[in-house]
Amino acid sequence: MKLTTKQLTLCALLTAMALALSYLENLFPLSLAVPLPGVKLGLANIVTVFALYALGPGQALLILLARCFLGSLFAGNMNALIFSLFGGLSALGTMVLLSRRRGLSLYGVSAGGAAAHNCGQIAAAALTLGSAAPLYYLPVLLAVSLLTGGLTGLACACLFQGLRRTGLMKG
Amino acid sequence: MPMRPFPKLRPTAWDALVVLAVIVLAAGTAFFQWRGGSSGELTAVVSIDGAEVDRFAPADLLEGPRTYHANGYTLTVAMAMDYETPSPGILPPKGEAGICVSSSDCPTQDCVRTGILSRGGQSAVCLPGRFVLRLEGGAAEDGGVDAVLG
Amino acid sequence: MKRLTAYALFLALLLSGCGASADPDTAQESIQVIAMDTAMLITTYGERSVPAAYAAEDCIRDLEAKLSRTIEDSEVSRLNAAGGEPVEIGEDLWELLDLARSYSDYTGGAFDITIAPVVSAWGFTEDSFQVPFPATVKKLLMLVDMTSVSQSPYPLTGEGPLTASLGPGQEIDLGGIAKGYAADKLVEVFKEHACPRALAQLGGNVLAYGGRPDGTPWRVGIQDPARPDDKNAFAGVLELTDAFAVTSGGYQRYFEQDGKTYHHIIDPATGYPADSGLTSVTVVADCETPEGYRTGTMCDAFSTALFVMGEEKALDLWRSWTAPAFELVLVTEDGRVVVTGGLKDRFTPDESSGYAYETVS
């Protein structure tokens, strides 16, 4: 994929932002409120949703991969790489498919993405543990993903609303 | 900025469809995962040579005792009231399921002497047959312990 | 572009109030292992609970293959069959022989691995129980002597093969120490696999690694020796975090002949089942000591030895012992449960048991 300097800069910026968001997320553990393993707001998904719509699937994938690799590098935990890759890729894949459906709004797309993200992470957990035990949490995680996906959708909607007013984005 | 289709910013009827799909998926997995009630229901697990060979609810023994062949020995697992306990004082607590190895042709008879199992975590073991009958799950009680020394 | 960045940053700040992280602590795996003449149950927790459980099983199988008296080509069997000649051994057996010698010294011979021929005469090795003739016991007792067991190089130099030899006719049985040593090794396995917590029950040995998932200590019941068949009858409950606990009692293995009961803990001084007025001895110690001391092995050896020595001598040893600290729960034939001071806050009596409880210091 050939990127212009502008595109490259924007991708790098968004990657940095996604990393910052994942980092922020870890500072305030939501698991205190919802005592379940793997419960996450998935703030970094805001960047993925934004990139998907503003820059397209290709660059969204680039940002996602960079975020996963750098994130697990910073965490010093390569085990986390499998988890974030499984989760991130299934979320992106699902959202690419859903975003082609013209009738769907940001809310539907990001809710679907959040659900897929959880499915991917559970699959990664089941694979690395070699046991089906993590599947036990899937129903609750899926329910929670509707909420977190909705929040992501809201955040993106606000973002695009603002962008439309600035006129930076024509469309 | 490249020209890309601008996303819809307000929820649509199609979104409801996605939400519905996720709910159906959650309900479906919940049904399959929690159907057995693995955290609450007391389950008897039988393993021979470290491999699980049988798993059943204690109440299933009401239909009759179960027989296992383990390394040349024959063991029978039964509902507690189906047999005379070696120590008559041992009876399952009221309202709880009690199961036991009711007979075995092993030389040590430790498995039979273990008596009645009524709570999760308890097990009866036959060393010569490398046979383990274990109860899993069940509600944790205040007096419950995680391990027993002895 | 500036404004785009500003918007994104603003959003990030807005949402930073809520976040989450995964807690892998709830992942757990249980494994049942039949080894060392007992049923073992090991439950591991953490992200790598499954490999940790399998590594624990491998560790135990590996030790059993080296240390079992009933496996023909084990190091111990080869040593027993060597007729006094030196035999090449591995590091584990070398260390265990060294530890066994120390505990024999500390306990005035109440713990002695060379008791094996006497134990065999009673049929406890092969489950063919019999009361041996007094003359046989007397003859075999002459073989019980830890000082005839030698090992080289001593102390360890790191050069040359490790060897050990017994006196003529001698045999060793590590049954009173091997499970404790295995428990010590399991601590290393759990650490390697970054387990936040684990619970291992190896016969009368319990390793309570970390605490319970809810943050409280593991609750470990001490079987009431008077009611061995009732799995819910306890002499008391210990609350343990990062600790070993080992119980020895005559009720664990015994047979009856002519109306008399004979149990499996043979007093090396008499050659007959120990008759010290105790029905069970529980030894507790921390599983992590600054010096890397093998406290699991210590608990295992002491539980056997103190059962032989009796209440008074056991408490004397407890008082004179410096480090690493251990604590005791003694159950006596006359219906008392004696708990040492260090366990005061970690021991809950069972009021329904009918025992009289005492705390000593």
Side-chain angles (χ1 to χ4, degrees), chain C residues 16 24 29-30 36 95 125 143 165 176 189 208 234 301 303 314 331-332 352 356 359:
Chain C
S16 62
E29 179 75 11
S30 283
M36 298 184 177
E95 187 181 359
T125 321
L143 296 171
S165 66
V189 171
F234 302 126
S303 71
V331 186
T332 68
S352 66
T359 306

Side-chain angles (χ1 to χ4, degrees), chain A:
Chain A
M1 188 187 305
K2 202 164 160 64
L3 294 178
T4 64
T5 313
K6 191 176 169 186
Q7 281 171 323
L8 189 64
T9 317
L10 198 52
C11 282
L13 198 70
L14 285 171
T15 306
M17 227 175 307
L19 280 168
L21 284 170
S22 333
Y23 184 72
L24 278 169
E25 200 166 61
N26 290 334
L27 283 182
F28 306 93
L30 180 70
S31 50
L32 293 179
V34 190
L36 272 181
V39 167
K40 268 191 173 189
L41 261 187
L43 292 182
N45 272 346
I46 297 174
V47 175
T48 312
V49 176
F50 174 78
L52 177 63
Y53 276 101
L55 309 173
Q59 289 174 58
L61 179 66
L62 280 183
I63 293 167
L64 176 74
L65 290 177
R67 189 245 294 178
C68 290
F69 278 104
L70 288 173
S72 44
L73 207 63
F74 292 161
N77 179 4
M78 274 304 137
N79 216 2
L81 178 63
I82 304 170
F83 281 74
S84 54
L85 269 184
F86 260 75
L89 287 177
S90 37
L92 182 60
T94 308
M95 290 196 294
V96 167
L97 289 177
L98 288 178
S99 65
R100 295 216 174 126
R101 270 246 146 254
R102 281 305 178 85
L104 280 171
S105 77
L106 276 171
Y107 292 93
V109 172
S110 61
H117 190 268
N118 281 322
C119 290
Q121 290 219 321
I122 291 283
L127 280 177
T128 47
L129 286 176
S131 123
L135 282 175
Y136 187 76
Y137 299 107
L138 191 56
V140 183
L141 286 179
L142 281 176
V144 173
S145 74
L146 284 181
L147 200 76
T148 58
L151 275 175
T152 312
L154 177 68
C156 283
C158 294
L159 189 59
F160 279 105
Q161 189 82 47
L163 277 174
R164 184 147 61 183
R165 285 209 200 100
T166 63
L168 268 173
M169 213 175 167
K170 303 173 198 80

